[in-house]
Amino acid sequence: MTAPTGEASVLGAPLDSREDPQLLRGEATYIADIELPGTAHMAILGSEVAHARILSIQTKAAEQMPGVLKVATAADFTDVMPLPCIWIPGGVESHFPPHPYGLPGARPVLTGDTVRHVGDAIAVVVAETPRQAAAALAAITVDYEPLPVVTRADQALAEGAPQLHEAVPGNLNAYWTCGDKERTDAAIAAAEVTVELDLVNQRTINSPIEPRGAVGDYHAATGEYTLYASTQGPHNHRFLLSALVLGIPFNKLRVIAPTVGGSFGTKGYLYPDMALVLLLSKALGRPVKWVDTRTGLMNSTVQGRDHRQHVTLAGTRDGRITAVRCTSHANLGAYPSTIGPGVATALMGRSISGMYQIDAAFCEVYAAFTNTVPLGAQRGSGRAEAAFLMERLVDRYAAEIGMDPAEVRRRNLVPAEKFPYDNGLGWTYDSGNYRENFDKALELAGYADMPARKAEARTRGKRLGVGLATYVAICGVGPSTRMSQEGMLGGTWESANIRVHPTGEVTVTVGSASTGQSHGTVFAQVAAAELGIDPANVQVLEGDTLKAPYGQGTYGSRSYSMAAPAVALTARKIRSKLVRAGAVFLGIPEEKVVYAGGGVHEDGNPENAKTFAELAMAMWYGWGLPPEIEPALDETTHFDPPDFNYPFGSHVAVVEIDELTGETEVVSYTAVDDAGNIGNPKIVLGQIEGSILHGLGQALMEAAEYDTDGRLITADLTGYALPRAADAPFFTLGKTVTPSPHNPLGAKGAGEIATVPPAAAVVNAVVDALSDLGVQHIDMPVTPEKVWRVLAGRTAGTGGTGGTAGTGAAAGTGTEGGPR
Amino acid sequence: MDLTLNVNGLPRQFSAEPSELLVERLRDGLGLTGTKVGCDTGQCGSCVVRLDGSSVKSCLILTAAAAGSEVTTIEGVSGTPDGPLTGLQEALRQEHGTQCGFCTPGMVMALGEFVDRSAATGGEDAPTEPEIREWLTGNLCRCTGYHSVVRGVQRACAAQATARQEG
């Protein structure tokens, strides 16, 4: 009994999201909407300087401000442990600020001696109202002794650079490698053709529209703490906060995730505020609430990307890639975030060869601390950085050998018969038909018509450019043992519980927690399909550690390929039990029991039957069951897959550059993604569309920019550009389907995968449009100003930079390295 | 200062500090938490409400400046708390024009004015995609890429035109 017996129409159907009506009515409860009786309000004082010793903090004036209940500094929390980091680069020596449990340690909940980035939390005020708390912050005086500042990873590793942590000599957290260095170096040395690029994958800010927030509620009578937080992983936060930060028993902390207003990776991290609201609630005997501002978010919530890379590709004159090598300087920010060091190394490095069969590959990452906001995940994290470097290199190589970039790609795609495919960097791709996927994308995009479109655009004063990008995105994190080898300190399995109530309704409870992915809709579809019942009959609960089975949370596009399989397997346990019990109730041998439409009947005798509701009631009563069948229907599964899954895809960007203004407009965008079997195409469509626009944002406008003093000068949405509705046309989307063998649904990650290639596709398109000027590369974001300078340089007769084919990176901008 | 606002059809009297923002009054003072605060600088549009029919960002207007006006928040859109979804809301539901939903109330309020205006033209000309996107530029969404929202507006306007022809 392995195949679903349910209605084929339920799973894979574009059912309307059941979450939508309450969202459209503004009825969903987000963290800022929670108002417990007696709530006091917390505000956090972040450091105004990027690097300094704190000489003194004067809080007296603040304490006397109206409504102020408490002002606290690090001195108030000496018995609280620092927030730990749980994903370190596997297999190499790492240096961290210490944590008492011997874990890779991290930041204290409040900084007492040395601040290391603007926004580093120094003090908190709790007051009767949010306005009073904010006003009192201004009355706290901090005396700083400034220290030298460094904001770039490569500069932090240079001789004489400012030192951030005593425990981290030279600011080097870890030197991590994957692949075969000797083989790769040899292949590059022996190659007919080599191309190189220096790339800046600029730091970006995820910018969920809902800022983070937390409410702490301590009950003195029971000694129990409740944390409401905008979190992607309530169980994980419970585990980390209780044992490793507060030093309280695991069973004394309950974590509840309300409706979460977007995350894209950032809300799975431990932040000081989560501990502070709990500690202060206990101190004051009242619930304590904190809601961040946008500027606060930008100065304290983890940021993404931020690699400086030197990359090399080797190949033959006839278009066969023989080696790829990457040296990257990754900027971890001021402290190791909860999983940031792993993101910056394994997720990026093991992914660099993408969809290509390459004999020799090697990646080395120098992960460094700097005076910037800690680094974390961002939609497509690691994999987007990898796809960018590889796809830029492939275009560079194609230009060098004078071959169509589509043809170069086609010649190097991993052939369908090679799966499972070991990419030589640590990943074993599960399944795929890359050629089919790639050709479909070219066809949908009308790739053959591009020369005519370029000519037509010229008549309108536009330079049309075409950019291709392919990718493989490791998802389904994942196999716990495998993740332990990557340095993950914690399980990465996922769980589900299904209860069938006596009245025949079903409740599915999962350990993950939605941040906008309509889990309630999709998990109901999975359970309904497996049980053969109406999805309207299935309730889905998540996000409350008191109610849900243990789970690790929503990240890395894992809900449908980790939590949904747990739901499916649990439903199969229920079904299996109903078949065994059905044999008793129907008075027939088990092998004669047919499970269909949620009920059971006798094979060949449909009259002898029990409906789902009848079975549910009978199991509730438990009358007449033999000892080997327990009453009731309540099953749980913890799903730990045998390996990751590997969605992939091919994207085609077409841009038009205005000759006069340098403005780049994305005029069409085609994406063919393969996420295996899909549970609800309407939900996935929205995630794909949003992901692509996020990637276009990095390509065209987004950049977290720090000045030389370490101040984030893009600290609100007037300074940090996010794509708006007019920044892209409708996308042309297609799909291929190659199920993953690593879970019972054949699912692959979907949510963020389409964020992985757009930056590469767009920059490839821009370089294509400017290639006749000798431009070999242009750093992101591709702003009108940068492009205009290239165009103006041409008209001024200075020419584009680059053009020395074969070696050397050439930034079309002529600047030293991008947006900093 | 003592002020009166008509909120979702009901007169509300209260005392407010001169510096109070309308969004603070709605959320903290009146408990209408459907209106969201996303950015503090008027960029994201999550706090859009209708003020005497026009959609405005309630984080950019003082409560005092709105005194005496008719304010409609997302809670007032369906008429009653359990009233039917409006045509726009229904169209957005069918196109799944939400994900995390945080920006959604502001979008419903801003787009409500757009759809109303479209209806006021007699529905002769269906709004074009660029027109819809242009109207939407005041509302940021990080989840959807706006596509499903734009399709929702197209659907709502088309349904409105059909209803008018049939009516």
Side-chain angles (χ1 to χ4, degrees):
Chain A
M1 167 162 290
T2 52
T5 54
E7 326 307 327
S9 61
V10 171
L11 198 60
L15 300 190
D16 286 343
S17 168
R18 57 171 62 173
E19 284 90 337
D20 276 357
Q22 65 165 348
L23 300 177
L24 288 160
R25 291 173 183 275
E27 287 173 353
T29 302
Y30 298 84
I31 192 79
D33 306 332
I34 294 172
E35 196 70 31
L36 304 177
T39 294
H41 297 269
M42 181 177 92
I44 302 176
L45 180 69
S47 173
E48 298 161 72
V49 296
H51 200 192
R53 255 185 289 282
I54 297 176
L55 300 177
S56 69
I57 307 174
Q58 285 95 41
T59 60
K60 279 257 164 11
E63 283 157 15
Q64 284 154 17
M65 296 276 286
V68 170
L69 301 165
K70 186 165 182 66
V71 180
T73 63
D76 295 271
F77 302 118
T78 50
D79 54 345
V80 178
M81 289 173 275
L83 312 181
C85 167
I86 58 162
W87 192 6
I88 61 171
V92 299
E93 189 182 345
S94 291
H95 300 279
F96 292 91
H99 183 281
Y101 277 19
L103 291 162
R107 63 189 317 163
V109 294
L110 287 177
T111 300
D113 49 3
T114 304
V115 291
R116 296 180 177 87
H117 69 90
V118 171
D120 207 348
I122 297 175
V124 289
V125 173
V126 186
E128 294 289 349
T129 72
R131 275 192 165 220
Q132 289 170 336
L137 285 188
I140 300 174
T141 313
V142 183
D143 290 335
Y144 300 101
E145 179 190 325
L147 296 168
V149 170
V150 63
T151 60
R152 277 173 45 167
D154 53 343
Q155 294 172 349
L157 296 171
E159 189 113 354
Q163 298 295 294
L164 269 77
H165 300 281
E166 267 182 39
V168 187
N171 300 318
L172 181 67
N173 162 251
Y175 170 71
W176 177 94
T177 68
C178 68
D180 190 328
K181 184 174 194 313
E182 268 181 45
R183 187 184 177 90
T184 305
D185 288 348
I188 288 170
E192 291 175 20
V193 183
T194 61
V195 290
E196 299 177 50
L197 288 169
D198 281 311
L199 302 177
V200 179
N201 207 296
Q202 85 272 29
R203 182 173 275 235
T204 54
I205 302 178
N206 254 335
S207 308
I209 305 301
E210 181 204 35
R212 293 188 310 101
V215 180
D217 188 17
Y218 175 76
H219 286 251
T222 58
E224 289 172 356
Y225 297 80
T226 301
L227 173 70
Y228 302 81
S230 47
T231 165
Q232 295 169 247
H235 285 289
N236 206 12
H237 279 131
R238 179 191 191 188
F239 171 61
L240 298 173
L241 272 173
S242 61
L244 301 178
V245 179
L246 303 176
I248 61 169
F250 187 79
N251 62 9
K252 293 291 187 190
L253 176 62
R254 174 185 184 184
V255 179
I256 299 174
T259 306
V260 176
S263 171
F264 318 108
T266 57
K267 292 174 180 169
Y269 289 72
L270 268 178
Y271 295 97
D273 42 87
M274 294 171 165
L276 289 167
V277 292
L278 293 170
L279 295 164
L280 289 162
S281 175
K282 184 177 184 182
L284 293 168
R286 295 171 62 169
V288 171
K289 175 176 172 177
W290 169 81
V291 178
D292 209 353
T293 60
R294 177 59 49 179
T295 296
L297 178 150
M298 290 187 148
N299 276 309
S300 66
T301 296
V302 293
Q303 301 178 347
R305 316 279 192 248
D306 208 344
H307 286 257
R308 283 172 178 266
Q309 299 165 328
H310 182 74
V311 296
T312 308
L313 182 143
T316 61
R317 283 268 157 220
D318 62 355
R320 182 98 195 99
I321 301 170
T322 54
V324 61
R325 184 175 64 197
C326 168
T327 299
S328 193
H329 291 90
N331 183 352
L332 296 182
Y335 302 96
S337 67
T338 317
I339 61 165
V343 169
T345 50
L347 268 187
M348 193 281 292
R350 298 196 191 283
S351 303
I352 64 168
S353 63
M355 292 219 292
Y356 309 111
Q357 184 175 224
I358 303 176
D359 189 45
F362 175 72
C363 182
E364 58 186 351
V365 180
Y366 297 86
F369 292 112
T370 71
N371 298 112
T372 59
V373 172
L375 186 84
Q378 170 154 172
R379 216 177 196 173
S381 57
R383 297 143 293 181
E385 296 92 300
F388 187 77
L389 78 90
M390 188 63 206
E391 293 301 310
R392 282 299 300 119
L393 275 174
V394 172
D395 265 31
R396 212 20 235 109
Y397 171 53
E400 179 64 20
I401 60 174
M403 189 177 282
D404 185 319
E407 184 53 31
V408 173
R409 286 179 171 82
R410 196 180 280 111
R411 286 186 188 192
N412 290 282
L413 294 174
V414 175
E417 66 273 14
K418 293 275 187 179
F419 291 91
Y421 174 77
D422 178 347
N423 80 346
L425 291 160
W427 303 141
T428 303
Y429 302 162
D430 52 354
S431 61
N433 186 337
Y434 295 170
R435 174 70 78 93
E436 175 198 23
N437 179 277
F438 182 66
D439 286 345
K440 189 167 181 177
L442 293 188
E443 193 189 328
L444 265 181
Y447 188 73
D449 303 332
M450 292 303 170
R453 286 182 63 181
K454 284 185 180 185
E456 185 278 328
R458 282 286 178 158
T459 66
R460 293 181 283 110
K462 307 275 190 183
R463 292 171 159 263
L464 186 140
V466 187
L468 307 176
T470 68
Y471 70 98
V472 179
I474 175 197
C475 285
V477 175
S480 297
T481 303
R482 177 71 182 81
M483 281 305 290
S484 77
Q485 293 156 0
E486 293 292 355
M488 177 66 85
L489 302 169
T492 48
W493 40 265
E494 203 46 72
S495 70
N497 170 270
I498 296 181
R499 274 186 189 179
V500 181
H501 304 298
T503 43
E505 295 97 6
V506 173
T507 297
V508 174
T509 319
V510 292
S512 76
S514 170
T515 58
Q517 297 92 347
S518 292
H519 284 182
T521 307
V522 181
F523 294 154
Q525 286 179 262
V526 173
E530 293 286 343
L531 292 171
I533 60 176
D534 184 346
N537 205 22
V538 182
Q539 171 190 43
V540 177
L541 301 178
E542 61 177 7
D544 181 346
T545 59
L546 193 66
K547 296 175 181 168
Y550 294 151
Q552 306 297 341
T554 296
Y555 60 90
S557 302
R558 71 199 291 275
S559 283
Y560 192 67
S561 62
M562 292 292 296
V567 173
L569 292 169
T570 310
R572 290 176 194 183
K573 287 180 184 172
I574 298 274
R575 214 170 61 202
S576 166
K577 188 170 179 180
L578 285 177
V579 167
R580 285 185 287 127
V584 178
F585 299 141
L586 299 179
I588 56 174
E590 201 178 309
E591 52 275 20
K592 296 276 281 180
V593 175
V594 177
Y595 188 98
V600 294
H601 66 260
E602 183 177 353
D603 194 12
N605 179 15
E607 298 296 307
N608 186 22
K610 291 263 184 210
T611 65
F612 191 77
E614 288 169 338
L615 289 167
M617 188 63 84
M619 293 302 286
W620 171 259
Y621 281 114
W623 295 346
L625 287 173
E628 66 273 16
I629 302 180
E630 290 179 21
L633 290 164
D634 186 336
E635 300 288 346
T636 298
T637 303
H638 297 84
F639 176 62
D640 201 2
D643 205 341
F644 303 106
N645 59 67
Y646 295 87
F648 57 92
S650 309
H651 289 200
V652 184
V654 180
V655 304
E656 284 185 5
I657 293 175
D658 190 303
E659 285 273 8
L660 291 176
T661 65
E663 197 168 359
T664 298
E665 183 186 1
V666 177
V667 293
S668 74
Y669 197 94
T670 305
V672 177
D673 299 290
D674 191 321
N677 292 334
I678 286 170
N680 183 323
K682 185 180 286 195
I683 306 296
V684 171
L685 169 66
Q687 295 176 354
I688 298 271
E689 290 175 330
S691 288
I692 293 172
L693 195 67
H694 199 131
L696 297 184
Q698 183 180 15
L700 295 172
M701 61 187 78
E702 295 186 37
E705 302 208 34
Y706 289 85
D707 67 15
T708 50
D709 292 328
R711 282 191 184 80
L712 181 66
I713 56 175
T714 54
D716 62 36
L717 294 178
T718 63
Y720 188 89
L722 294 181
R724 293 180 181 272
D727 286 321
F730 280 128
F731 303 144
T732 303
L733 303 180
K735 69 171 180 181
T736 56
V737 179
T738 46
S740 173
H742 294 155
N743 64 76
L745 296 175
K748 295 184 175 185
E752 70 190 324
I753 60 172
T755 317
V756 172
V762 168
V763 175
N764 281 345
V766 169
V767 172
D768 179 47
L770 301 174
S771 60
D772 62 313
L773 305 176
V775 172
Q776 293 184 356
H777 178 66
I778 189 161
D779 278 325
M780 297 185 290
V782 181
T783 58
E785 186 211 349
K786 280 187 195 166
V787 177
W788 180 82
R789 284 182 188 281
V790 173
L791 294 168
R794 172 198 49 150
T795 52
T798 55
T801 56
T804 47
T807 57
T813 56
T815 58
E816 186 271 329
R820 289 293 170 73
Chain B
M1 59 180 78
D2 292 326
L3 300 173
T4 301
L5 277 184
N6 290 302
V7 183
N8 300 329
L10 292 173
R12 307 293 292 259
Q13 289 179 308
F14 48 83
S15 179
E17 288 178 38
S19 63
E20 182 188 277
L21 298 169
L22 179 58
V23 68
E24 293 177 278
R25 173 54 45 186
L26 296 172
R27 284 185 56 84
D28 305 333
L30 302 177
L32 297 168
T33 56
T35 302
K36 304 301 180 192
V37 179
C39 72
D40 315 314
T41 53
Q43 296 293 311
C44 79
S46 300
C47 66
V48 171
V49 298
R50 301 281 288 271
L51 189 68
D52 293 330
S54 297
S55 47
V56 300
K57 290 175 174 172
S58 63
C59 75
L60 292 181
I61 181 168
L62 296 171
T63 307
S69 299
E70 191 74 46
V71 179
T72 306
T73 70
I74 188 71
E75 287 88 350
V77 162
S78 302
T80 58
D82 55 353
L85 295 177
T86 63
L88 172 64
Q89 286 172 317
E90 179 59 28
L92 288 170
R93 187 182 73 85
Q94 291 183 23
E95 295 292 345
H96 188 43
T98 79
Q99 277 179 41
C100 80
F102 193 79
C103 71
T104 302
M107 283 200 175
V108 169
M109 300 313 293
L111 292 168
E113 185 184 357
F114 181 84
V115 174
D116 287 354
R117 287 185 177 208
S118 171
T121 66
E124 292 290 307
D125 301 309
T128 63
E129 183 197 337
E131 285 169 349
I132 298 168
R133 289 184 182 275
E134 188 62 29
W135 188 271
L136 248 182
T137 53
N139 293 77
L140 285 172
C141 172
R142 196 59 155 165
C143 297
T144 64
Y146 310 99
H147 304 279
S148 52
V149 179
V150 174
R151 286 193 295 267
V153 176
Q154 290 174 325
R155 179 187 278 266
C157 290
Q160 211 169 43
T162 305
R164 196 175 302 105
Q165 280 167 7
E166 289 171 355

